[in-house]
Every structure is written in C-alpha cells, then in structure tokens.
C-alpha cells in the first residue's frame, strides 16, 4: 500500500462487512427462536396462590375434619384440576391448623381416629403409623417426619390454603 | 500430477480429465505388518461388529425394555432413581459433606473438578511420556475417580430391592374396569382395601393395582388376612363370609377387565 | 455395470480422492488384533460409533409411533410395546443401546487415557471426545423422561432440582429446561423431546464429524 493514511485495507473492509452481514443474518434468524425458548424463564410464575377450599372458619371446630378441594393447574395448554385434601381443626388458641393427610412413611392416606385402638391420633392403616393431633409423628411408629402443614390464609371468614410445607422429623 | 499448461478438463468443469488409478496402494511394502483399511482391516472390524450385534440383540430379546406405570405427579411415595450412569452423582448428594449446607460442594465443586479435569486432561498431564508408569499422578487420579464412581454406584444399587421395585411399578393400561358397586363383596372392599388399593382397584402410592393379578380366591383371602410384601397382616377385619365375598368381588372385577 | 456407474459419476464429480481420504489408508500393525490380540482395545471407539448408529436408526423408527404429549406419550409407548410387531425389540434396542453406548464410550475413553494417546498433537481431539461424552449423557438424561412413566417423571424432577441448585443461574436454568416455573408437565416433555431429538443429535453429528476428520488427519497414535 502506498497510501499510508489508509487505515483499513480493501480486504479488511470486505471482511468486516462480511462479518457484519453474517451477524445480521444470524441475529435475524435467532432472535425470535431464542426469545421463544426462554419465554418461561421471563414469565412471572403464579405459584403460591391460595385457593378457597370451601369451608368457613366457623364450621371448623376442635375435632379434625377432612376437607377435599381441587386446585386449578394450568400447564401451558394443558389444564387439569388435581385434587387436594386436608385435615383441619382449631387448636387451643383458636387458630386453624390444616394438615396434609399424606403419611410421610410411604404416602398412604391417614385419618383422624382411624383406628379404635388409637383415639386422639391420626392413624395410617398401611403400617400402623401414628401422629398426634398437631401432626407430629409418634416415635416408634414407621413415619419419620410430621405431617406437612398447609400454608393458610383467612379471608372474610373463609379458609384459603396454599402449598403443604414439610416439617423436620421429631 | 499434471500442472500448469496442458491440463485437460471434463467439459467446462474444474474436474481433471486425467484418469487416476482406482487400485488401492499396496501397503504390504510398508515397514511393519501394515495392511489396507479397506477392505482388509474393515472386514475384521465388521466381524467384531457382527458378533457384538448378535450379543446386543440377544440382550434386547431376553430383557424387554422396562416401562413403569404412567407418570402420576400425585404419587408422593415414589422413590426416584436416575439411570444407572447418573447413580454415582445421585449417591454422592446423599453424603453429609455433599448436601445441605455443602450442596454446592457435592453438586458443582466435586463433579466440576472431576469433569473439568477430564476435559483438560491433555493440558494437566502434559509431559512427553505416554506410558502409565511415566505419569503416575494422572493415572492415579483416574484410578481414584474410577474406584469412587464404581463404589458410589454400588452403594446406590445394592440397597435397592430391584424385584420388589419392578413388581410395584408394573405398567397398567388405563382402567376400563367396571366396578360393580352392587356386588356383595364391594362393601368389604370399601371398608378394608379401598384406602390403599383405590376406588377402581387401580392401586396407589402405597399399594399395587389389583387388576391383572393371578391369584386364586383362596390366595386372595390369605393375602387379605396375612399380608404380602409391603402389606402388613391383619388389615382385613371382617367376618369369614365377608372375606369370601371380597375375594369373589376382586376376581369378578379381574374377569371383567380381561374381557 | 457397477464399474460403469462409478466411472460415470467419477468423470463428473471426481469422487476417487474423496474415496481415498475415507477408505484407502494404511492400518499399522499395533492396532491389528490379527497380529496382537491385545489390540482389541482399539475396537471400542468403532463399537461406540456402531451403537450410535443403532441409536439413530431405532430412534428414527420409534418416532413413527411416539407422541410427546403428557396425555398420550405413555400410551403410545405402551401401545408400541404391546401391540406393534417387533416394536418391543426396537424400543429395546434404543433402551439398551443407551446404556451400552455409555459403557463403550467409557471403555474407549479409558483406552485413550491409559495409553496417553491424548498427548500432543491430539489434545483437541480428546476435548472433542469429552464433549461427545457430555452430549451422550445429555441424550440419556433427556431421553429418560420421554416414556412419561413414574420412573421417568420422578427422576427428571430430581434432575431438575439438581439443576436448580446451581448458584445464580440455577432457577433460570431449571425453568429453561422444564418450561414452567413449578410444574414438570406438558411443556417439560415437549422441551425434552426437542432437545433429545433435534438439538443434541445436531451437536453430536457436528462433534463426531470433527472427531473423525481429526483422526484421519492425525492418524492413530503410535504403539506405546
């Protein structure tokens, strides 16, 4: 090159332009697909919603009673209504307690005073698991952890439940 | 090879019109007992491949690929197990130093170091010697990694009761079972069995399905009273007559399902 | 006749050099089991490729029956297992092949490692090989979910939990894989299907091509 002022040679210029046009094509091709792929990450999750379980606080007394309700679950285009159930009662302070009925041993369904030999306990028929009224497992029976407790909220005297929270073993 | 002027091309293409020999070179002239890849060596490879294929097909014929019941997100008692080649990682995360507060150690640091070292092995072990004796550190590390992976996998595998697991997780097609709630044994079923075996005998997290079982009425009665596998004894609390009706009911449902 | 067809093609597109590149090269004595039986260790790479071919073929045929949808995925697999002639064998090939390919890959890797065959000038090919190993593990992980049985579902949930533990990007990574913030469901299955059937195989083909080209350029490593 005789001209020293020339910073960019013709060949370099063509290379830069080629890279630029290539980048433009790659970007144009990939912007939409990539945005589509990461869409779930950017969406706000609607988890942790509390659901009306169809029982007013007045109807709850100090004897555990079983309630069943369904939650609406939207998984993309797939809507389902998985059912949930809980044992609810009021403790000594009058606070509502909602326990998951799923035995922490092998996932059977426990019931309040489910056996005549064990009054005032939650009883699991599968392997004679026992839980006290506050859902804590009785040592010496198969379960190793207390029954999970549902997150709860009371709106206008109606009970709303969220997700069951697992508790540490006793 | 022709160069420069005088080259002849096929038509107006850039392909030389010169014919080249298609006979493979004779490698027997080379030093050592070398031979041509095609067809001499490839034939040997394919023979090995054929033997391998026979063994492989025999495996697929003897052991049909497993399929468990359809995924049931509400099944809270299912104990998940990954495919065998991930078992060592799965087992590692059970250790105290690799879980809880140290989860990052077990999850990222240890596997990251191992796989990172594997990826960068040529740069970590960059001496000239190739024989294992000439690079004791690299070989030692690899043997250590191998032994720990094998040990972790074994740890994970030997505590699993594979037969019971396979038995409890048989694939069950969608229930088209007609449950006759009018049946005289239904009340006994409802009272004693339904919490675990389900309203349509479909089974659940704690108990297998009762559809497609191959027990006789007597065996069903025995199992109801004395239990089997995970099922404890003494679950059935009715009279002997109810027990008979119950077994009859379960068999009638099975018959309706088999049709 | 065949020779004429070959000549006709060769005259137009000159395939002999390509042929020479692929097939016509010498095989040294030390990798030939006919001369040293211990040379069978050199078979593992070829067998890995052979199983990969089995995987590709059986996988292609399996998609004739399989549907990646949570309502029907399991049913379609159950149907092909029980109703379609020989489909159990095809699924068996794919299922067991997935395990066998990992075994062969492992043996091949160990052969290369203990012979120190990754040393200069073959560092790059080792790295490509390890990447192939990772892609294979990814294929195993994503393929595990597809039958949508309990084993698949819960193992995938564990896998996704593990992905979620990665610092800083874990949560995003998990959602990116699962397609939903909380549910492992319909969107997870389609994602895993796409990754298993299109993304990872594409990566695998690219890496395999580089792996083989490098072997041809550098030749097989010499005897110890």
């Amino acid at each position: 090159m005789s001209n020293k002022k020339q910073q960019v040679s013709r060949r370099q210029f063509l290379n830069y332009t080629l890279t630029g046009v290539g980048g433009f094509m790659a970007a144009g091709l990939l912007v939409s697909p990539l945005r589509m792929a990461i869409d779930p990450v950017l969406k706000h999750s609607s988890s942790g919603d509390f659901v009306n379980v169809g029982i007013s606080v007045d109807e709850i007394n100090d004897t555990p009673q079983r309630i069943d309700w369904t939650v609406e679950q939207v998984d993309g285009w797939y809507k389902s209504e998985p059912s949930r159930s809980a044992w609810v009662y009021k403790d000594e302070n009058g606070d509502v307690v909602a326990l998951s009925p799923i035995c922490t041993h092998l996932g059977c369904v426990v019931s309040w005073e489910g056996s005549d030999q064990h009054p005032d306990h939650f009883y699991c028929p599968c392997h004679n698991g026992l839980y006290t009224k506050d859902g804590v497992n009785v040592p010496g029976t198969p379960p190793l952890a207390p029954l999970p407790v549902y997150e709860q909220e009371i709106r206008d005297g109606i009970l709303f439940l969220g997700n069951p929270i697992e508790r540490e073993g006793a | 090879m022709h160069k420069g002027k005088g080259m002849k091309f096929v038509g107006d293409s850039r392909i030389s019109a010169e014919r080249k020999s298609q006979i493979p070179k004779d490698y027997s002239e080379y030093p050592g007992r070398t031979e041509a890849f095609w067809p001499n060596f490839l034939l040997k490879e394919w023979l090995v491949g054929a033997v391998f294929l026979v063994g492989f097909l025999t495996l697929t014929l003897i052991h049909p690929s497993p399929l468990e019941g359809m995924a049931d997100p509400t099944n809270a008692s299912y104990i998940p197990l990954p495919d065998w080649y991930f078992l060592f990682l799965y087992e590692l995360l059970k250790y105290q130093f690799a879980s809880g507060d140290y989860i990052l150690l077990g999850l990222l640091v240890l596997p990251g170091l191992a796989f990172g070292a594997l990826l960068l092995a040529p740069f970590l072990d960059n001496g000239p010697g190739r024989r294992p004796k000439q690079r004791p550190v690299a070989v030692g590390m690899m043997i250590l990694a191998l032994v720990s992976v094998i040990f972790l996998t074994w740890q994970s595998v030997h505590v699993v009761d594979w037969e019971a697991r396979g038995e409890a997780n048989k694939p069950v097609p969608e229930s088209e079972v007609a449950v006759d709630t009018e049946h005289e044994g239904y009340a006994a079923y409802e009272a004693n069995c339904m919490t675990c075996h389900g309203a349509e005998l479909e089974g659940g997290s704690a108990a297998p399905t009762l559809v497609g079982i191959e027990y006789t009425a007597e065996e069903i009665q025995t199992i109801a009273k004395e239990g089997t596998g995970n099922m404890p004894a003494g679950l059935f609390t009715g009279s002997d007559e109810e027990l008979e009706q119950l077994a009859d009911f379960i068999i009638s449902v099975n018959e309706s399902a088999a049709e | 006749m065949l020779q004429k067809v070959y000549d006709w093609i060769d005259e137009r597109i000159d395939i002999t050099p390509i042929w020479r590149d692929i097939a016509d090269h010498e095989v040294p004595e030390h990798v030939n089991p006919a001369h040293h039986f211990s040379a069978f260790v050199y078979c593992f790479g070829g067998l890995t490729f052979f199983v990969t071919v089995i995987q590709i073929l059986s996988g292609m045929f399996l998609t004739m029956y399989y549907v990646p949808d949570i309502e029907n995925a399991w049913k379609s697999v159950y149907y092909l297992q029980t109703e379609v002639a020989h489909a159990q064998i095809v699924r068996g090939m794919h299922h067991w092949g997935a395990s066998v390919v990992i075994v062969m890959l492992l043996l091949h890797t160990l052969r290369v490692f203990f012979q120190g065959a990754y040393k200069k000038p073959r560092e790059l090919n080792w790295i490509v090989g390890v990447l192939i190993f990772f892609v294979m593990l990814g294929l195993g992980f994503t393929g595990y979910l597809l039958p949508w049985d309990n084993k698949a579902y819960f193992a995938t949930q564990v896998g996704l939990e593990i992905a979620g533990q990665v610092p800083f990007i874990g949560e995003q990574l998990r959602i990116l894989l699962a397609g939903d913030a909380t549910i492992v469901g319909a969107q997870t299955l389609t994602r895993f299907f796409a990754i298993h059937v299109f993304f990872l195989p594409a990566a695998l083909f690219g890496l395999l091509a580089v792996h083989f080209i490098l072997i041809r350029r550098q030749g097989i490593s010499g005897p110890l």
Side-chain angles (χ1 to χ4, degrees):
Chain A
M1 289 288 149
S2 56
N3 188 353
K4 281 183 181 171
K5 276 183 194 167
Q6 195 176 354
Q7 302 285 312
V8 178
S9 73
R10 180 183 172 78
R11 191 181 182 83
Q12 271 176 319
F13 172 75
L14 288 178
N15 273 336
Y16 293 154
T17 319
L18 186 70
T19 315
V21 176
F24 171 76
M25 287 194 294
L29 270 178
L30 287 177
V31 164
S32 299
L34 287 181
R35 181 63 183 77
M36 176 180 136
I38 62 168
D39 189 50
V41 181
L42 302 175
K43 256 189 197 160
H44 289 287
S45 95
S46 56
S47 73
D49 276 356
F50 288 88
V51 183
N52 181 348
V53 296
I55 186 168
S56 76
V57 176
D58 303 337
E59 293 171 58
I60 303 174
N61 50 33
D62 57 357
T63 310
Q65 54 178 311
R66 184 178 164 140
I67 50 168
D68 296 276
W69 75 99
T70 57
V71 290
E72 214 160 86
Q73 180 174 292
V74 183
D75 175 16
W77 54 94
Y78 181 75
K79 292 196 179 75
S80 57
E81 291 201 334
S83 67
R84 300 269 156 86
S85 43
W87 289 93
V88 293
Y89 65 93
K90 277 184 185 148
D91 63 13
E92 306 91 66
N93 306 328
D95 295 329
V96 174
V97 178
L99 295 173
S100 159
I102 307 296
C103 180
T104 53
H105 176 224
L106 280 174
C108 299
V109 182
V110 303
S111 49
W112 176 248
E113 298 189 338
S115 159
D116 301 337
Q117 284 115 45
H118 303 285
D120 280 337
H121 280 87
F122 287 103
Y123 174 74
C124 175
C126 294
H127 302 89
N128 303 320
L130 286 177
Y131 301 85
T132 54
K133 190 173 174 183
D134 55 358
V136 176
N137 51 308
V138 174
T141 61
L144 292 172
L147 295 172
V149 171
Y150 277 98
E151 299 174 306
Q152 52 158 301
E153 229 176 76
I154 292 164
R155 298 178 198 158
D156 302 330
I158 304 286
L159 181 63
F160 283 70
L161 294 182
N163 294 320
I165 308 293
E166 281 172 27
R167 295 187 285 176
E168 283 298 314
Chain B
M1 187 73 184
H2 249 285
K3 272 187 181 158
K5 287 185 177 175
M7 282 184 78
K8 290 195 174 65
F9 295 101
V10 179
D12 60 353
S13 75
R14 300 293 178 271
I15 289 172
S16 167
E18 297 278 331
R19 307 305 313 138
K20 279 165 244 113
S21 157
Q22 287 159 20
I23 302 156
K25 283 175 261 179
D26 183 5
Y27 295 107
S28 60
E29 302 285 312
Y30 280 44
R33 285 174 289 180
T34 53
E35 64 181 9
F37 173 74
W38 182 292
N40 307 37
F41 187 70
L42 195 61
L43 174 64
K44 288 175 192 146
E45 284 211 318
W46 281 16
L47 283 176
V48 175
V51 173
F52 174 84
L53 182 65
V54 170
F56 179 71
L57 287 180
T58 315
L59 171 74
T60 64
L61 286 174
I62 294 175
H63 294 287
S65 51
L67 180 67
E68 295 190 346
M70 187 165 163
D72 174 13
T74 59
N75 186 340
S77 71
Y78 191 88
I79 303 158
L81 266 191
D83 226 348
W84 63 268
Y85 41 87
F86 289 121
L87 277 179
F88 73 97
L89 269 180
Y90 185 68
E91 184 70 19
L92 180 69
L93 296 180
K94 287 185 187 167
Y95 283 88
Q96 218 159 24
F97 63 84
S99 59
D101 295 341
Y102 304 102
I103 186 80
L104 285 185
L105 183 68
L107 200 66
L108 285 184
V109 179
L110 289 180
L113 278 179
F115 283 109
L118 187 72
L119 187 67
L120 298 176
F123 305 101
L124 300 173
D125 169 33
N126 54 6
R130 279 182 50 202
R131 291 168 185 280
K133 274 183 192 160
Q134 290 165 305
R135 42 197 190 99
V137 180
V139 169
M141 299 284 266
M142 178 56 113
I143 290 177
L144 182 70
L146 270 183
V147 168
S148 35
V149 165
I150 292 172
F151 173 75
L152 285 172
T153 309
W154 173 80
Q155 274 264 306
S156 180
V157 167
H158 95 284
V159 294
V160 179
D161 185 349
W162 295 99
E163 272 182 25
R165 206 181 153 81
E167 200 60 36
N169 293 301
K170 275 187 182 159
V172 188
E174 191 120 331
S175 163
E176 284 167 29
V177 179
V179 172
D180 177 12
T181 51
E182 303 292 298
H183 195 284
E184 49 188 1
Y186 181 74
Y189 179 79
E190 196 179 16
N192 293 292
C193 321
M194 201 153 94
T195 39
C196 293
H197 289 290
E200 288 182 330
L201 286 71
E202 75 273 22
S205 49
T209 176
L210 296 180
V211 180
I213 53 172
E214 285 160 4
Y215 292 119
T216 64
E218 288 76 37
E219 283 168 325
I220 291 175
Q221 293 181 23
T222 322
I223 291 171
K225 275 193 297 193
E226 289 163 19
T228 177
N230 247 342
M231 179 175 165
L235 282 188
F236 183 81
T237 51
S239 67
D240 281 355
E241 192 197 345
E242 282 173 337
L243 188 60
E244 259 169 53
Q245 290 168 345
L246 171 73
D248 189 43
F249 166 73
I250 291 174
I251 286 180
S252 77
V253 174
N254 267 294
E255 276 166 359
S256 82
E259 276 160 18
Chain C
M1 178 61 197
L2 218 57
Q3 188 61 41
K4 273 188 183 157
V5 173
Y6 181 87
D7 286 343
W8 189 90
I9 297 173
D10 191 42
E11 189 192 353
R12 281 158 182 78
I13 52 179
D14 200 19
I15 55 178
T16 302
I18 305 172
W19 164 250
R20 283 254 185 274
D21 268 352
I22 294 171
D24 189 19
H25 50 91
E26 59 160 331
V27 177
E29 175 189 334
H30 72 280
V31 306
N32 196 331
H35 299 304
H36 307 278
F37 179 69
S38 61
F40 73 87
V41 293
Y42 288 93
C43 279
F44 297 141
L47 287 179
T48 309
F49 179 62
F50 184 43
V51 189
T52 309
V53 172
I54 294 179
Q55 292 303 90
I56 294 164
L57 279 177
S58 55
M60 276 163 36
F61 282 96
L62 282 176
T63 54
M64 287 183 172
Y65 288 91
Y66 177 77
V67 232
D69 167 75
I70 55 171
E71 294 261 282
N72 295 308
W74 186 87
K75 287 179 202 160
S76 69
V77 176
Y78 187 79
Y79 175 82
L80 79 85
Q81 281 263 103
T82 52
E83 306 286 327
V84 184
H86 283 229
Q88 190 165 42
I89 299 174
V90 178
R91 178 157 181 261
M93 288 162 77
H94 206 69
H95 175 90
W96 293 112
S99 288
V100 173
V101 83
I102 300 281
V103 173
M104 288 298 154
L105 208 51
L106 204 64
L107 292 173
H108 177 57
T109 310
L110 291 179
R111 192 277 290 171
V112 173
F113 182 88
F114 284 111
Q115 290 191 340
Y118 55 64
K119 293 192 172 249
K120 189 185 173 188
R122 298 190 174 79
E123 301 98 323
L124 273 181
N125 215 9
W126 168 266
I127 289 181
V128 172
V130 175
L131 292 180
I132 292 176
F133 192 60
F134 292 163
V135 169
M136 286 290 189
L137 289 179
L139 281 164
F141 176 64
T142 49
Y144 208 58
L145 177 68
L146 300 186
W148 200 249
D149 59 356
N150 275 321
K151 185 172 63 175
Y153 180 84
F154 289 101
T156 302
Q157 218 166 33
V158 172
L160 289 174
E161 286 304 316
I162 290 176
Q165 301 274 359
V166 175
F168 308 121
I169 55 157
E171 188 61 16
Q172 281 80 0
L173 183 68
R174 190 178 62 78
I175 300 175
L176 187 66
L177 281 171
D180 189 283
T182 47
I183 310 163
V184 174
Q187 302 186 81
T188 319
L189 186 56
T190 46
R191 254 161 210 262
F192 273 49
F193 180 73
I195 294 171
H196 184 79
V197 174
F198 295 104
F199 288 81
L200 287 180
L204 183 69
F205 290 154
L207 289 169
L208 276 181
V210 177
H211 204 63
F212 291 153
I213 290 170
L214 286 179
I215 296 171
R216 285 296 302 115
R217 283 199 88 82
Q218 300 178 321
I220 200 152
S221 60
L224 275 177

